[in-house]
Amino acid sequence: MNKFLAVICMIVSASCYAGAINITSPDGHVAVEVGVDSAGTPFYNVRFVGERVIDDSHLGFNLVDNVDLKDDFEIIGDSCGSFDEIWRPVWGEEAEIRSNYNEALLRLRQRSTGRLVDLRFRVFNDGVGFRYEFPSPQTALQCFVVADELTEFAIPCDAVAYWIPGDYDSQEFNYTRCRMSEISSKMEEAHVGGPVYPSPFSDTGVQTALMLKYDSGLYVNLHEAALYDYPALCLDLDEESNTFRAALTPFANGDKAIMQIGDTTPWRTVIVSDDARDILASRITLNLNEPCRIEDTSWIKPVKYIGVWWEMITGVKSWNYTDDINSVEIGLTDYTALKPNGRHGAETSNVLRYIDFAARHGFDAVLVEGWNEGWEDQATSLKYKIFSFTRPYPDFDIDRIRDYAASKGVSLMMHHETGSAVLDYERVLDEAFRFMVDNSYHSVKGGYIGQLLPRGEHHYSQQMVSHYQHVLEKAADYHIMFNAHEAVRPTGVSRTWPNLIGNESARGSEYHAFSGIKPEHTAILPFTRLIGGPMDYTPGLFENDISKYNPYRSAWVNSTLANQLSLYVTMASPLQMAADLPETYERFLDAFQFIKDVALDWDKSVYLEAEPMEYVTVARKAKGSENWFVGSTGGAEPRKSKIDFSFLPEGRKYIAKIYRDGKKAHYRTAPQDYIIETKTVDASSRMTLPVASGGGYAMSLTPIQ
Ligand code: NOJ
Ligand code: CA
């Protein structure tokens, strides 16, 4: 570990009104100017090898019932330093991560009020992070309410944007690719097939992580890092100035954030390169988060799992135990007096069947949804949603299931669907986690479907961001690994709290069974959603025709089978599900072998090919092993993937087992056309492989002894 912090520059003399300082990255490629203009308004700009990435952009805040923090500032001091460290994540794409940046702190004072605000900028070789800090003590400022954050990102061209609508309650949209100037005209279409919440949004609002491509060939990614106790960031495009402005998720009354001195905002991040692969290889988001806060991490382990789940998602089985409760009855009841509906997924013998399958094929865990009382109320979509997190339905024999799973060496994964009744969940959280510990559950999938209670509040507000964090930290106290669905998109928090082994927070594979997923979806997620951390995408769908499971549901999985396999490598996550039904995997045991073999944690990742929404190809070395895995995920257009194997060590031969699209493969017409072949390769090998429309390939590489 090489770590040092040194003051290397003092550029601006104190107490000048307008002025600026320059900071460059350690390799000199990224340059930032930050200062105050003649009105005393803070601003910054970013360049990459001389090219403008972000033009002059304002910084500041409007406050509720107070003088705004947006102008009349003078610079009263600055300090600069540099930092170089190698750290080891508990899990991830690499065993070692380098954090190397130059930093500047600009100290500002508002002349009329005497209030102090600091701006901290960190400039890495692959981009920039900056945040606001409110120094303490100071007398002119104490507590304040943010009406609007005024951070801007002035984009110097009409870039191509890859975006989803700036919704405050859902991230589960298909992506749209268009010029920035076309965003407003595409907004209505971008909502089609998305979740419907009464969430206010503007027709120029988009979510982060936002991916952009400039005509010059620059790739730029805008997001945030270390989001704690602050609302999640959306960006609203001012079309006239071609500038994105911060649009924070509001409280129900419209206020954005409640702050006090000593607080900092999350980092605003700009990742930039002329090579799309560098965006995927960037570790800025993690590097801007604090080191691990959990002392003993021995209980945090990658999890490969199956679940009593796809049966419910496809509508074959139900989460609820009974149909006796109709939409007028609300609240928990005596379930033993009610008639089972005969379609209950979490019924004991069905769960035992999944445990057997998991044990036979070497899976770590089985998720069981619909095990607990309360789903009937959920199904009614009424005002009150009350799940029990400690009372199993009468046909879920928890003692028998727990003991059987233990005897087979399989873990159980808990499910806590809150129905967004968050206050109720917080009230019973200790009981719920204690119940898990008592019944040998080591991980939990959380859920926040539906509108929030209390009504009018949004999923990504300051209060909810703090709620998810509270649950995560409380889970750590109980040595529980956490994976929340519908929670706020991650921002690298898993560096500090590595028990956050996954999150959904985007349109997951379940939408293949609902309103549909575009075939290019998984070729953009690594550039957007995954910038903040791993996703519980739930891949492994081998049966494309959902009506084969449920004749009343017409839906199609828009992906080839080989593409599904590639996702285990391209969408890195220590938590991976094999989402389809056991009986389907029995039909394709040769392809299923890849899901059984693939690693979940990595020593090294080498990005071989990348273009947003078109393709991602990556080679990864399994942690603590000599085995490598390669995944290539394509988009809507068929292509040829050309790779070389120079990532392998010299002089060593490997058996490559390749799972790829067959000649006729196409996500719509022949998704199950795949070929499995073996070849011998070494560091000098080259390969050209076909990728079908909605296709891909996966490869395992085992050294020849
Ligand atoms: C939505 C989640 O994404 C899905 O995985 C889960 O099964 C349902 N909510 C029910 O909790
Ligand atoms: Ca979901």
Side-chain angles (χ1 to χ4, degrees):
M1 176 119 61
N2 165 27
K3 186 170 167 177
F4 62 94
L5 186 66
V7 173
I8 56 163
C9 58
M10 279 294 240
I11 301 168
V12 173
S13 59
S15 277
C16 65
Y17 193 75
I21 62 172
N22 293 291
I23 322 141
T24 50
S25 57
D27 68 359
H29 288 174
V30 183
V32 172
E33 184 188 20
V34 52
V36 293
D37 65 15
S38 56
T41 299
F43 75 93
Y44 76 103
N45 60 56
V46 180
R47 283 169 187 269
F48 177 76
V49 202
E51 183 183 340
R52 291 174 307 151
V53 179
I54 306 287
D55 273 335
D56 281 355
S57 298
H58 290 138
L59 300 166
F61 298 89
N62 285 337
L63 302 189
V64 174
D65 297 334
N66 211 330
V67 179
D68 294 331
L69 288 168
K70 68 173 176 199
D71 54 13
D72 195 28
F73 283 102
E74 61 182 348
I75 298 171
I76 55 167
D78 67 90
S79 58
C80 300
S82 65
F83 187 83
D84 195 359
E85 172 196 53
I86 288 174
W87 59 278
R88 300 176 67 84
V90 174
W91 46 258
E93 294 186 69
E94 273 130 2
E96 294 190 334
I97 294 177
R98 184 174 180 194
S99 179
N100 182 204
Y101 57 81
N102 290 331
E103 176 177 272
L105 184 74
L106 200 64
R107 298 180 52 220
L108 306 178
R109 191 174 72 99
Q110 196 170 38
R111 304 218 299 185
S112 58
T113 64
R115 295 181 298 182
L116 306 175
V117 177
D118 291 348
L119 297 173
R120 190 181 294 276
F121 276 74
R122 290 184 179 165
V123 187
F124 300 78
N125 292 341
D126 49 356
V128 182
F130 62 91
R131 73 178 182 192
Y132 302 85
E133 301 182 355
F134 304 98
S136 174
Q138 59 173 304
T139 42
L141 187 65
Q142 293 294 323
C143 299
F144 54 100
V145 180
V146 172
D148 274 308
E149 183 183 318
L150 304 174
T151 305
E152 294 179 344
F153 301 87
I155 308 300
C157 62
D158 189 13
V160 175
Y162 309 76
W163 57 276
I164 53 175
D167 199 284
Y168 300 136
D169 284 290
S170 183
Q171 301 144 137
E172 302 185 355
F173 298 95
N174 273 308
Y175 278 81
T176 300
R177 162 172 43 187
C178 69
R179 295 264 171 198
M180 285 169 60
S181 57
E182 297 168 322
I183 289 177
S184 56
S185 66
K186 303 257 184 200
M187 188 55 77
E188 205 179 314
E189 196 187 323
H191 277 89
V192 173
V196 187
Y197 287 94
S199 178
F201 55 84
S202 118
D203 68 355
T204 45
V206 298
Q207 297 190 28
T208 70
L210 173 68
M211 191 64 215
L212 299 170
K213 185 179 179 182
Y214 295 3
D215 285 340
S216 64
L218 274 196
Y219 297 88
V220 178
N221 186 283
L222 306 180
H223 192 33
E224 59 181 325
L227 171 63
Y228 291 97
D229 195 21
Y230 197 79
L233 178 71
C234 282
L235 297 172
D236 202 0
L237 177 65
D238 175 52
E239 291 176 306
E240 229 173 270
S241 60
N242 208 46
T243 294
F244 286 110
R245 290 221 172 84
L248 302 176
T249 307
F251 287 107
N253 75 347
D255 293 350
K256 301 289 165 43
I258 298 165
M259 307 288 285
Q260 62 188 50
I261 51 172
D263 287 349
T264 62
T265 66
W267 298 92
R268 277 66 189 92
T269 57
V270 181
I271 306 174
V272 56
S273 178
D274 51 9
D275 185 334
R277 295 176 301 179
D278 295 342
I279 305 292
L280 303 177
S282 171
R283 301 290 167 246
I284 280 186
T285 315
L286 287 174
N287 282 335
L288 289 169
N289 276 272
E290 296 297 317
C292 182
R293 287 270 300 273
I294 301 173
E295 235 165 75
D296 168 19
T297 56
S298 58
W299 51 276
I300 301 173
K301 300 210 165 70
V303 182
K304 201 182 281 183
Y305 74 104
I306 59 167
V308 179
W309 182 68
W310 196 238
E311 291 176 280
M312 282 91 92
I313 294 290
T314 54
V316 180
K317 292 261 168 85
S318 68
W319 279 274
N320 41 304
Y321 162 75
T322 178
D323 294 337
D324 273 8
I325 299 177
N326 65 40
S327 59
V328 188
E329 290 168 276
I330 332 164
L332 299 178
T333 182
D334 177 10
Y335 280 88
T336 54
L338 301 170
K339 191 163 93 288
N341 66 11
R343 296 183 301 116
H344 184 216
E347 183 275 322
T348 301
S349 66
N350 197 36
V351 175
L352 298 187
R353 182 171 74 92
Y354 275 78
I355 293 171
D356 281 338
F357 184 84
R360 192 151 12 107
H361 294 287
F363 282 78
D364 302 305
V366 174
L367 161 77
V368 186
E369 296 198 4
W371 67 278
N372 55 329
E373 295 182 357
W375 286 86
E376 290 75 11
D377 303 330
Q378 175 56 38
T380 65
S381 291
L382 278 180
K383 272 219 272 251
Y384 306 99
K385 296 168 180 167
I386 306 167
F387 289 95
S388 168
F389 303 106
T390 48
R391 289 209 302 278
Y393 278 134
D395 63 345
F396 183 84
D397 184 342
I398 189 158
D399 296 336
R400 185 163 166 219
I401 289 167
R402 179 195 58 226
D403 295 345
Y404 190 73
S407 77
K408 296 274 175 175
V410 171
S411 257
L412 292 168
M413 189 183 293
M414 176 48 80
H415 186 229
H416 286 172
E417 176 54 67
T418 66
S420 294
V422 288
L423 297 182
D424 183 64
Y425 189 47
E426 285 180 12
R427 190 173 54 77
V428 300
L429 202 51
D430 274 299
E431 271 171 65
F433 285 159
R434 169 62 42 209
F435 180 82
M436 282 182 61
V437 171
D438 291 346
N439 288 287
S440 312
Y441 287 78
H442 307 297
S443 58
V444 56
K445 168 179 172 179
Y448 293 89
I449 48 171
Q451 291 179 56
L452 276 208
L453 276 175
R455 285 283 180 267
E457 297 295 342
H458 298 296
H459 277 72
Y460 318 129
S461 67
Q462 181 181 22
Q463 175 204 322
M464 283 305 291
V465 166
S466 296
H467 166 83
Y468 306 126
Q469 188 60 31
H470 171 68
V471 174
L472 181 62
E473 292 182 23
K474 177 76 80 179
D477 290 344
Y478 287 88
H479 288 195
I480 287 169
M481 296 181 280
F482 196 66
N483 157 36
H485 278 226
E486 295 88 31
V488 71
R489 45 204 171 273
T491 56
V493 165
S494 56
R495 173 179 179 183
T496 315
W497 298 97
N499 62 320
L500 182 62
I501 51 168
N503 260 149
E504 183 194 45
S505 310
R507 196 177 183 88
S509 79
E510 61 187 358
Y511 275 84
H512 281 302
F514 307 153
S515 50
I517 290 188
K518 291 183 187 173
E520 60 269 33
H521 190 60
T522 45
I524 186 61
L525 284 175
F527 290 96
T528 51
R529 164 62 184 76
L530 270 67
I531 294 291
M535 175 170 179
D536 185 30
Y537 181 71
T538 66
L541 301 177
F542 283 11
E543 178 50 68
N544 298 74
D545 184 357
I546 302 302
S547 76
K548 284 208 173 135
Y549 294 152
N550 178 354
Y552 304 103
R553 177 88 60 92
S554 132
W556 191 265
V557 176
N558 288 329
S559 147
T560 69
L561 194 150
N563 171 292
Q564 290 288 315
L565 296 182
S566 75
L567 303 177
Y568 291 89
V569 191
T570 54
M571 308 253 292
S573 172
L575 176 76
Q576 290 283 17
M577 185 181 204
D580 216 322
L581 305 185
E583 49 270 41
T584 298
Y585 290 132
E586 301 280 8
R587 283 165 49 213
F588 298 96
L589 284 175
D590 57 352
F592 187 54
Q593 188 63 42
F594 183 79
I595 302 180
K596 292 166 64 170
D597 292 343
V598 70
L600 302 174
D601 196 11
W602 311 99
D603 271 339
K604 213 171 156 183
S605 294
V606 183
Y607 283 90
L608 304 174
E609 299 178 304
E611 178 62 26
M613 234 166 181
E614 304 278 341
Y615 51 85
V616 171
T617 307
V618 60
R620 302 191 199 270
K621 180 178 169 295
K623 195 170 254 175
S625 144
E626 292 309 309
N627 294 346
W628 285 76
F629 294 85
V630 180
S632 182
T633 300
E637 296 302 320
R639 64 182 292 267
K640 293 223 173 333
S641 165
K642 288 193 179 130
I643 59 167
D644 71 59
F645 290 77
S646 54
F647 55 85
L648 290 175
E650 288 291 336
R652 193 106 202 245
K653 290 207 178 308
Y654 288 75
I655 299 285
K657 190 167 177 193
I658 305 160
Y659 305 72
R660 64 173 177 87
D661 290 323
K663 256 208 172 87
K664 296 201 183 112
H666 184 287
Y667 73 86
R668 185 68 229 179
T669 52
Q672 292 169 338
D673 178 21
Y674 63 91
I675 289 170
I676 301 176
E677 58 193 359
T678 11
K679 295 203 166 142
T680 304
V681 296
D682 61 24
S684 67
S685 304
R686 306 212 164 340
M687 227 180 249
T688 301
L689 291 161
V691 175
S693 174
Y697 62 82
M699 207 184 286
S700 58
L701 295 159
T702 321
I704 299 174
Q705 295 309 329

